[in-house]
Amino acid sequence: MAQGGAHILVVDDHREIREALAQYLTRHGLRVSVAKDAREARRVLDSAAVDLLLLDIMMPGEDGLSLCRELRARSNLPIILLTALGEDTERIVGLELGADDYVAKPFNPRELLARIRAVLRRAQGPSPATSALLRKRLRFGAFRFHPERQELEREDGTLIPLSTAEARLLSAFLRQPRVVLSRERLLDLARGRESHPFDRAIDNLVSRLRRKLGDDPRRPRYIRTHWGGGYSFEAEVEEL
């Protein structure tokens, strides 16, 4: 599904929020349905193909977390939670249940649209060019990396275990060496369902990857920090 034709279901018990979101997202080329509670949301989901769910956590009756849990148990429908600023526990529980992202109320509509587009990109999977690259082994410095298998290997054959998020981050760097990538872009490229989209998540992920590469951030051989700008991968990358 191309993002421009994506069908978004907005589930929120506040009519003003539902209508405002529907109008804004429609103006930006998305198709929008609305529901005031979980029961209405199920009716829409049963009768139409939905590409992404914007789901309010706190609703009277059945809450959004219950609906999120049910949907994730039977589908990979992308879900973005709409939360109040003070709902830290509920937000974390929602992410652990499998929600793809969250936006705190009151939110900037432009930020919400950007997050919708980012989640839709991830749901669509890699482009043909990226898929071809994932099938190739790559060499940099003293390492070889197989993106599709998420295997990092030293020249002596020692395998270095990587989490899914670490492997995705390394793949993102190796696809664009010597290009400064913002934290937001890296989160978009590297984040899987198991990763929480907190502001410093990418910095923690970079730190873990640096340790596994034996990279000194003060004298980086591989990952360079650009203060205020993000990170870049500095080593030569060769296809094997």
Side-chain angles (χ1 to χ4, degrees):
M1 169 66 69
Q3 287 192 28
H7 183 190
I8 311 300
L9 173 57
V10 178
V11 186
D12 197 296
D13 60 304
H14 291 92
R15 181 167 59 91
E16 297 83 1
I17 293 177
R18 295 195 306 270
E19 293 179 352
L21 278 176
Q23 292 174 8
Y24 182 81
L25 297 177
T26 299
R27 287 201 305 271
H28 286 82
L30 298 168
R31 294 186 296 122
V32 182
S33 296
V34 297
K36 71 176 186 295
D37 55 27
R39 178 180 298 180
E40 281 194 4
R42 288 190 182 89
R43 284 203 293 266
V44 175
L45 292 168
D46 289 340
S47 63
V50 172
D51 298 297
L52 184 142
L53 182 65
L54 287 179
L55 179 60
D56 186 29
I57 286 183
M58 297 300 293
M59 296 186 295
E62 184 179 359
D63 63 21
L65 294 179
S66 175
L67 181 57
C68 178
R69 180 186 296 107
E70 175 191 324
L71 293 174
R72 186 55 68 233
R74 59 184 173 88
S75 79
N76 288 319
L77 175 68
I79 299 172
I80 297 178
L81 299 175
L82 302 176
T83 78
L85 281 173
E87 294 172 358
D88 290 342
T89 300
E90 290 85 355
R91 183 164 60 242
I92 293 170
V93 170
L95 292 167
E96 290 174 344
L97 289 175
D100 296 83
D101 206 345
Y102 72 88
V103 177
K105 300 177 181 178
F107 48 79
N108 183 317
R110 290 180 61 188
E111 178 189 357
L112 176 60
L113 181 61
R115 289 180 180 270
I116 289 172
R117 287 173 171 164
V119 171
L120 287 172
R121 282 197 301 271
R122 292 198 297 274
Q124 289 169 359
S127 67
T130 299
S131 295
L133 182 59
L134 287 173
R135 290 191 290 270
K136 299 176 180 177
R137 284 196 309 160
L138 304 171
R139 179 168 58 199
F140 62 93
F143 298 93
R144 290 186 294 268
F145 179 60
H146 196 306
E148 191 172 34
R149 297 178 184 171
Q150 299 184 352
E151 290 181 352
L152 180 63
E153 181 183 3
R154 295 186 187 276
E155 286 183 330
D156 63 5
T158 303
L159 290 177
I160 300 172
L162 295 178
S163 69
T164 298
E166 290 164 354
R168 287 177 175 154
L169 178 64
L170 182 55
S171 293
F173 278 133
L174 298 181
R175 290 199 299 270
Q176 301 181 71
R178 294 194 168 87
V179 174
V180 179
L181 300 170
S182 68
R183 287 171 172 83
E184 182 179 15
R185 179 60 177 152
L186 285 170
L187 271 174
D188 184 12
L189 293 168
R191 185 165 61 214
R193 293 196 189 281
E194 79 287 352
S195 302
H196 295 177
F198 300 134
D199 291 342
R200 293 193 59 82
I202 200 64
D203 297 319
N204 295 331
L205 194 55
V206 167
S207 294
R208 294 195 335 241
L209 184 57
R210 274 175 166 157
R211 286 196 294 272
K212 293 187 176 183
L213 295 175
D215 202 23
D216 183 351
R218 293 170 297 182
R219 296 181 180 178
R221 182 179 180 188
Y222 299 116
I223 302 173
R224 181 178 299 277
T225 302
H226 297 264
W227 299 112
Y231 298 94
S232 65
F233 194 80
E234 295 299 313
E236 292 285 346
V237 179
E238 302 176 88
E239 294 180 3
L240 298 176

